Amino acid sequence: MSKTTLFDLDGKIAFVSGASRGIGEAIAHLLAQQGAHVIVSSRRLEGCQAVADAITAAGGKATAMACHIGEMEQIQQVFASIREQFGRLDILVNNAATNPQFCNVLDTDLGAFQKTVDVNIRGYFFMSVEAGKLMREHGGGSIINVASINGVSPGLFQGIYSVTKAAVINMTKVFAKECAQFGIRCNALLPGLTDTKFASALVKNDAIRNAALQQIPLKRVADPGEMAGAVLYLASDASSYTTGTALNVDGGFLS
Ligand SMILES: NC(=O)c1ccc[n+]([C@@H]2O[C@H](COP(=O)([O-])OP(=O)(O)OC[C@H]3O[C@@H](n4cnc5c(N)ncnc54)[C@H](OP(=O)(O)O)[C@@H]3O)[C@@H](O)[C@H]2O)c1
């Protein structure tokens, strides 16, 4: 009996935003390990280049490209580069997000509100629009939106961030419904508390971490690598009949 090829990504071009560290870095490594040429992206090129070099050193294929997803011109520029260098895109992982302010919702700062909306909603939306246009030209593709458990159950003092993550779950369904006719699938990943720089304020504080663990049936915080397998499933032919779904990878938090 031969092993399944359902999870193979040979010949695929994949773009991962926020891939210079954390969950995005783990996703970039796994997609490359399965054969994809991964475009490693974040605001700062150096961090992306380091990840791309590590992938290449391990025998994979990767290219670093800087893109601030909160800046519309940079989205246009990065897709012009993808078109020029690769001519196609098969997988988009919208992973880069921001959460600049922890506060009671009544203290929300307008600047923090605007930044969170610009990156987490407008950024994901127009990255998907540009990717979708390229995918449509080549018969399809897979878009994976990294949302959050906060999109279903808002985190305390993470008001506008939680609102944007709920929008991402709805956005996933919008693209799934309207782009299925082009062979494009769109799904969301809802990570639970994961040990990254993003969550360090929560994970490193004993009181906050212990309170969070009370609500997680698996009684631990996730490692970033534990998010990557679910993304591989959604990126590959293993999920060929799955679109518009929100996949919880949360240690049972939302159950
Ligand atoms: N960690 C958790 O507990 C947790 C839980 C639920 C959901 N999530 C979600 O998981 C995703 C990844 O989070 P993470 O924990 O891995 O965060 P992280 O370790 O802080 O990494 C964030 C990545 O995004 C990049 N980035 C930040 N702002 C950007 C922007 N405007 N444009 C482009 N790239 C940007 C960063 O690089 P640069 O600084 O170079 O731009 C970095 O590569 C996010 O969508 C987050 O909401 C995380």
Side-chain angles (χ1 to χ4, degrees), residues 80-108:
S81 299
I82 294 168
R83 230 171 231 288
E84 191 184 310
Q85 290 187 40
F86 300 97
R88 61 182 294 140
L89 187 69
D90 304 291
I91 298 157
L92 169 68
V93 184
N94 274 318
N95 167 74
T98 193
N99 188 9
Q101 194 184 19
F102 281 84
C103 65
N104 185 282
V105 69
L106 300 186
D107 297 320
T108 304

mmCIF file of all heavy atoms in Angstrom, residues 80-108:
data_model
loop_
_atom_site.group_PDB
_atom_site.id
_atom_site.type_symbol
_atom_site.label_atom_id
_atom_site.label_comp_id
_atom_site.label_asym_id
_atom_site.label_seq_id
_atom_site.Cartn_x
_atom_site.Cartn_y
_atom_site.Cartn_z
ATOM 1 N N ALA A 80 2.108 42.509 -7.753
ATOM 2 C CA ALA A 80 2.811 42.741 -9.027
ATOM 3 C C ALA A 80 4.087 41.897 -9.045
ATOM 4 O O ALA A 80 4.430 41.279 -10.074
ATOM 5 C CB ALA A 80 3.126 44.221 -9.185
ATOM 6 N N SER A 81 4.783 41.828 -7.914
ATOM 7 C CA SER A 81 6.009 41.016 -7.831
ATOM 8 C C SER A 81 5.699 39.524 -7.979
ATOM 9 O O SER A 81 6.435 38.790 -8.643
ATOM 10 C CB SER A 81 6.720 41.235 -6.494
ATOM 11 O OG SER A 81 7.099 42.559 -6.353
ATOM 12 N N ILE A 82 4.618 39.061 -7.353
ATOM 13 C CA ILE A 82 4.250 37.635 -7.450
ATOM 14 C C ILE A 82 3.953 37.288 -8.917
ATOM 15 O O ILE A 82 4.416 36.275 -9.450
ATOM 16 C CB ILE A 82 3.020 37.318 -6.559
ATOM 17 C CG1 ILE A 82 3.362 37.497 -5.086
ATOM 18 C CG2 ILE A 82 2.520 35.891 -6.823
ATOM 19 C CD1 ILE A 82 2.148 37.481 -4.156
ATOM 20 N N ARG A 83 3.193 38.178 -9.573
ATOM 21 C CA ARG A 83 2.858 37.984 -10.982
ATOM 22 C C ARG A 83 4.123 37.894 -11.838
ATOM 23 O O ARG A 83 4.267 37.004 -12.674
ATOM 24 C CB ARG A 83 2.038 39.181 -11.468
ATOM 25 C CG ARG A 83 0.792 38.829 -12.168
ATOM 26 C CD ARG A 83 -0.047 40.080 -12.399
ATOM 27 N NE ARG A 83 -1.404 39.868 -11.937
ATOM 28 C CZ ARG A 83 -2.295 39.097 -12.542
ATOM 29 N NH1 ARG A 83 -1.978 38.446 -13.630
ATOM 30 N NH2 ARG A 83 -3.510 38.939 -12.057
ATOM 31 N N GLU A 84 5.032 38.836 -11.578
ATOM 32 C CA GLU A 84 6.259 38.914 -12.380
ATOM 33 C C GLU A 84 7.167 37.701 -12.131
ATOM 34 O O GLU A 84 7.680 37.095 -13.063
ATOM 35 C CB GLU A 84 6.989 40.203 -12.005
ATOM 36 C CG GLU A 84 8.129 40.572 -12.922
ATOM 37 C CD GLU A 84 8.841 41.810 -12.384
ATOM 38 O OE1 GLU A 84 8.166 42.810 -12.082
ATOM 39 O OE2 GLU A 84 10.064 41.742 -12.241
ATOM 40 N N GLN A 85 7.338 37.330 -10.863
ATOM 41 C CA GLN A 85 8.301 36.267 -10.534
ATOM 42 C C GLN A 85 7.744 34.859 -10.684
ATOM 43 O O GLN A 85 8.473 33.934 -11.002
ATOM 44 C CB GLN A 85 8.811 36.431 -9.097
ATOM 45 C CG GLN A 85 9.721 37.640 -8.914
ATOM 46 C CD GLN A 85 10.343 37.656 -7.520
ATOM 47 O OE1 GLN A 85 10.747 36.632 -6.980
ATOM 48 N NE2 GLN A 85 10.411 38.833 -6.925
ATOM 49 N N PHE A 86 6.447 34.682 -10.427
ATOM 50 C CA PHE A 86 5.878 33.325 -10.414
ATOM 51 C C PHE A 86 4.748 33.144 -11.424
ATOM 52 O O PHE A 86 4.467 32.026 -11.838
ATOM 53 C CB PHE A 86 5.361 32.980 -9.008
ATOM 54 C CG PHE A 86 6.427 33.011 -7.954
ATOM 55 C CD1 PHE A 86 6.609 34.138 -7.160
ATOM 56 C CD2 PHE A 86 7.276 31.930 -7.767
ATOM 57 C CE1 PHE A 86 7.609 34.181 -6.202
ATOM 58 C CE2 PHE A 86 8.278 31.959 -6.807
ATOM 59 C CZ PHE A 86 8.446 33.086 -6.025
ATOM 60 N N GLY A 87 4.034 34.220 -11.749
ATOM 61 C CA GLY A 87 2.945 34.138 -12.722
ATOM 62 C C GLY A 87 1.693 33.456 -12.209
ATOM 63 O O GLY A 87 0.698 33.333 -12.939
ATOM 64 N N ARG A 88 1.715 33.010 -10.960
ATOM 65 C CA ARG A 88 0.541 32.324 -10.410
ATOM 66 C C ARG A 88 0.623 32.312 -8.875
ATOM 67 O O ARG A 88 1.673 32.614 -8.300
ATOM 68 C CB ARG A 88 0.474 30.883 -10.904
ATOM 69 C CG ARG A 88 1.680 30.028 -10.504
ATOM 70 C CD ARG A 88 1.578 28.631 -11.058
ATOM 71 N NE ARG A 88 0.470 27.909 -10.455
ATOM 72 C CZ ARG A 88 -0.336 27.097 -11.142
ATOM 73 N NH1 ARG A 88 -0.140 26.914 -12.432
ATOM 74 N NH2 ARG A 88 -1.308 26.454 -10.526
ATOM 75 N N LEU A 89 -0.478 31.961 -8.240
ATOM 76 C CA LEU A 89 -0.482 31.742 -6.787
ATOM 77 C C LEU A 89 -1.528 30.656 -6.515
ATOM 78 O O LEU A 89 -2.658 30.741 -6.992
ATOM 79 C CB LEU A 89 -0.840 33.027 -6.018
ATOM 80 C CG LEU A 89 -0.708 32.906 -4.502
ATOM 81 C CD1 LEU A 89 0.762 32.775 -4.076
ATOM 82 C CD2 LEU A 89 -1.301 34.127 -3.792
ATOM 83 N N ASP A 90 -1.142 29.646 -5.774
ATOM 84 C CA ASP A 90 -2.058 28.529 -5.492
ATOM 85 C C ASP A 90 -2.620 28.574 -4.077
ATOM 86 O O ASP A 90 -3.722 28.088 -3.827
ATOM 87 C CB ASP A 90 -1.311 27.202 -5.698
ATOM 88 C CG ASP A 90 -0.728 27.113 -7.088
ATOM 89 O OD1 ASP A 90 -1.507 26.990 -8.043
ATOM 90 O OD2 ASP A 90 0.521 27.210 -7.237
ATOM 91 N N ILE A 91 -1.825 29.131 -3.153
ATOM 92 C CA ILE A 91 -2.229 29.120 -1.734
ATOM 93 C C ILE A 91 -1.927 30.495 -1.131
ATOM 94 O O ILE A 91 -0.817 31.000 -1.275
ATOM 95 C CB ILE A 91 -1.426 28.041 -0.954
ATOM 96 C CG1 ILE A 91 -1.721 26.637 -1.504
ATOM 97 C CG2 ILE A 91 -1.720 28.116 0.550
ATOM 98 C CD1 ILE A 91 -0.623 25.624 -1.221
ATOM 99 N N LEU A 92 -2.929 31.090 -0.481
ATOM 100 C CA LEU A 92 -2.702 32.315 0.298
ATOM 101 C C LEU A 92 -3.031 32.022 1.751
ATOM 102 O O LEU A 92 -4.140 31.570 2.049
ATOM 103 C CB LEU A 92 -3.604 33.462 -0.188
ATOM 104 C CG LEU A 92 -3.627 34.688 0.747
ATOM 105 C CD1 LEU A 92 -2.285 35.418 0.753
ATOM 106 C CD2 LEU A 92 -4.749 35.657 0.349
ATOM 107 N N VAL A 93 -2.086 32.275 2.642
ATOM 108 C CA VAL A 93 -2.377 32.180 4.074
ATOM 109 C C VAL A 93 -2.326 33.598 4.639
ATOM 110 O O VAL A 93 -1.263 34.200 4.762
ATOM 111 C CB VAL A 93 -1.368 31.267 4.817
ATOM 112 C CG1 VAL A 93 -1.785 31.136 6.284
ATOM 113 C CG2 VAL A 93 -1.268 29.894 4.156
ATOM 114 N N ASN A 94 -3.509 34.148 4.923
ATOM 115 C CA ASN A 94 -3.621 35.452 5.583
ATOM 116 C C ASN A 94 -3.420 35.214 7.072
ATOM 117 O O ASN A 94 -4.328 34.739 7.769
ATOM 118 C CB ASN A 94 -5.026 36.035 5.355
ATOM 119 C CG ASN A 94 -5.155 36.801 4.063
ATOM 120 O OD1 ASN A 94 -4.270 37.557 3.694
ATOM 121 N ND2 ASN A 94 -6.270 36.596 3.385
ATOM 122 N N ASN A 95 -2.214 35.516 7.543
ATOM 123 C CA ASN A 95 -1.889 35.202 8.939
ATOM 124 C C ASN A 95 -1.483 36.432 9.747
ATOM 125 O O ASN A 95 -1.749 36.509 10.937
ATOM 126 C CB ASN A 95 -0.758 34.159 8.948
ATOM 127 C CG ASN A 95 -0.138 33.988 10.313
ATOM 128 O OD1 ASN A 95 -0.731 33.390 11.215
ATOM 129 N ND2 ASN A 95 1.063 34.533 10.498
ATOM 130 N N ALA A 96 -0.875 37.434 9.083
ATOM 131 C CA ALA A 96 -0.392 38.617 9.812
ATOM 132 C C ALA A 96 -1.567 39.417 10.352
ATOM 133 O O ALA A 96 -2.506 39.731 9.617
ATOM 134 C CB ALA A 96 0.437 39.498 8.885
ATOM 135 N N ALA A 97 -1.524 39.744 11.637
ATOM 136 C CA ALA A 97 -2.600 40.546 12.226
ATOM 137 C C ALA A 97 -2.023 41.418 13.322
ATOM 138 O O ALA A 97 -0.871 41.238 13.734
ATOM 139 C CB ALA A 97 -3.696 39.641 12.790
ATOM 140 N N THR A 98 -2.817 42.358 13.791
ATOM 141 C CA THR A 98 -2.341 43.272 14.833
ATOM 142 C C THR A 98 -3.361 43.394 15.953
ATOM 143 O O THR A 98 -4.566 43.194 15.736
ATOM 144 C CB THR A 98 -2.028 44.668 14.207
ATOM 145 O OG1 THR A 98 -1.289 45.439 15.149
ATOM 146 C CG2 THR A 98 -3.286 45.411 13.798
ATOM 147 N N ASN A 99 -2.856 43.702 17.134
ATOM 148 C CA ASN A 99 -3.715 43.901 18.313
ATOM 149 C C ASN A 99 -3.038 44.931 19.202
ATOM 150 O O ASN A 99 -2.439 44.599 20.214
ATOM 151 C CB ASN A 99 -3.885 42.562 19.057
ATOM 152 C CG ASN A 99 -4.912 42.659 20.173
ATOM 153 O OD1 ASN A 99 -5.618 43.657 20.301
ATOM 154 N ND2 ASN A 99 -4.992 41.631 20.996
ATOM 155 N N PRO A 100 -3.083 46.221 18.788
ATOM 156 C CA PRO A 100 -2.232 47.216 19.436
ATOM 157 C C PRO A 100 -2.665 47.676 20.821
ATOM 158 O O PRO A 100 -1.880 48.295 21.523
ATOM 159 C CB PRO A 100 -2.269 48.396 18.449
ATOM 160 C CG PRO A 100 -3.533 48.233 17.687
ATOM 161 C CD PRO A 100 -3.837 46.778 17.655
ATOM 162 N N GLN A 101 -3.893 47.406 21.235
ATOM 163 C CA GLN A 101 -4.340 47.988 22.512
ATOM 164 C C GLN A 101 -5.126 46.984 23.361
ATOM 165 O O GLN A 101 -6.119 46.414 22.896
ATOM 166 C CB GLN A 101 -5.246 49.210 22.215
ATOM 167 C CG GLN A 101 -5.488 50.081 23.423
ATOM 168 C CD GLN A 101 -6.458 51.221 23.141
ATOM 169 O OE1 GLN A 101 -7.225 51.202 22.187
ATOM 170 N NE2 GLN A 101 -6.437 52.221 24.010
ATOM 171 N N PHE A 102 -4.655 46.749 24.577
ATOM 172 C CA PHE A 102 -5.413 45.950 25.543
ATOM 173 C C PHE A 102 -6.082 46.925 26.500
ATOM 174 O O PHE A 102 -5.418 47.642 27.241
ATOM 175 C CB PHE A 102 -4.485 45.033 26.353
ATOM 176 C CG PHE A 102 -4.081 43.795 25.611
ATOM 177 C CD1 PHE A 102 -3.030 43.817 24.733
ATOM 178 C CD2 PHE A 102 -4.773 42.591 25.785
ATOM 179 C CE1 PHE A 102 -2.653 42.687 24.027
ATOM 180 C CE2 PHE A 102 -4.410 41.456 25.080
ATOM 181 C CZ PHE A 102 -3.346 41.498 24.200
ATOM 182 N N CYS A 103 -7.400 47.009 26.477
ATOM 183 C CA CYS A 103 -8.083 47.958 27.363
ATOM 184 C C CYS A 103 -9.574 47.629 27.406
ATOM 185 O O CYS A 103 -10.083 46.874 26.583
ATOM 186 C CB CYS A 103 -7.906 49.383 26.828
ATOM 187 S SG CYS A 103 -8.702 49.644 25.232
ATOM 188 N N ASN A 104 -10.234 48.206 28.380
ATOM 189 C CA ASN A 104 -11.689 48.129 28.386
ATOM 190 C C ASN A 104 -12.213 48.749 27.098
ATOM 191 O O ASN A 104 -11.676 49.755 26.624
ATOM 192 C CB ASN A 104 -12.260 48.879 29.601
ATOM 193 C CG ASN A 104 -13.775 48.715 29.692
ATOM 194 O OD1 ASN A 104 -14.528 49.371 28.973
ATOM 195 N ND2 ASN A 104 -14.219 47.816 30.548
ATOM 196 N N VAL A 105 -13.262 48.163 26.542
ATOM 197 C CA VAL A 105 -13.775 48.615 25.248
ATOM 198 C C VAL A 105 -14.125 50.112 25.258
ATOM 199 O O VAL A 105 -14.012 50.796 24.233
ATOM 200 C CB VAL A 105 -14.977 47.732 24.819
ATOM 201 C CG1 VAL A 105 -16.201 47.969 25.727
ATOM 202 C CG2 VAL A 105 -15.335 47.950 23.364
ATOM 203 N N LEU A 106 -14.516 50.644 26.436
ATOM 204 C CA LEU A 106 -14.892 52.071 26.503
ATOM 205 C C LEU A 106 -13.682 52.991 26.371
ATOM 206 O O LEU A 106 -13.837 54.190 26.142
ATOM 207 C CB LEU A 106 -15.630 52.361 27.824
ATOM 208 C CG LEU A 106 -16.927 51.577 28.046
ATOM 209 C CD1 LEU A 106 -17.630 52.078 29.312
ATOM 210 C CD2 LEU A 106 -17.869 51.697 26.847
ATOM 211 N N ASP A 107 -12.493 52.430 26.529
ATOM 212 C CA ASP A 107 -11.265 53.235 26.413
ATOM 213 C C ASP A 107 -10.585 53.067 25.058
ATOM 214 O O ASP A 107 -9.434 53.480 24.889
ATOM 215 C CB ASP A 107 -10.280 52.842 27.523
ATOM 216 C CG ASP A 107 -10.855 53.144 28.899
ATOM 217 O OD1 ASP A 107 -11.495 54.205 29.049
ATOM 218 O OD2 ASP A 107 -10.687 52.303 29.810
ATOM 219 N N THR A 108 -11.279 52.474 24.094
ATOM 220 C CA THR A 108 -10.658 52.220 22.785
ATOM 221 C C THR A 108 -10.211 53.524 22.138
ATOM 222 O O THR A 108 -10.991 54.470 21.991
ATOM 223 C CB THR A 108 -11.657 51.491 21.851
ATOM 224 O OG1 THR A 108 -12.095 50.304 22.497
ATOM 225 C CG2 THR A 108 -10.984 51.143 20.518
#
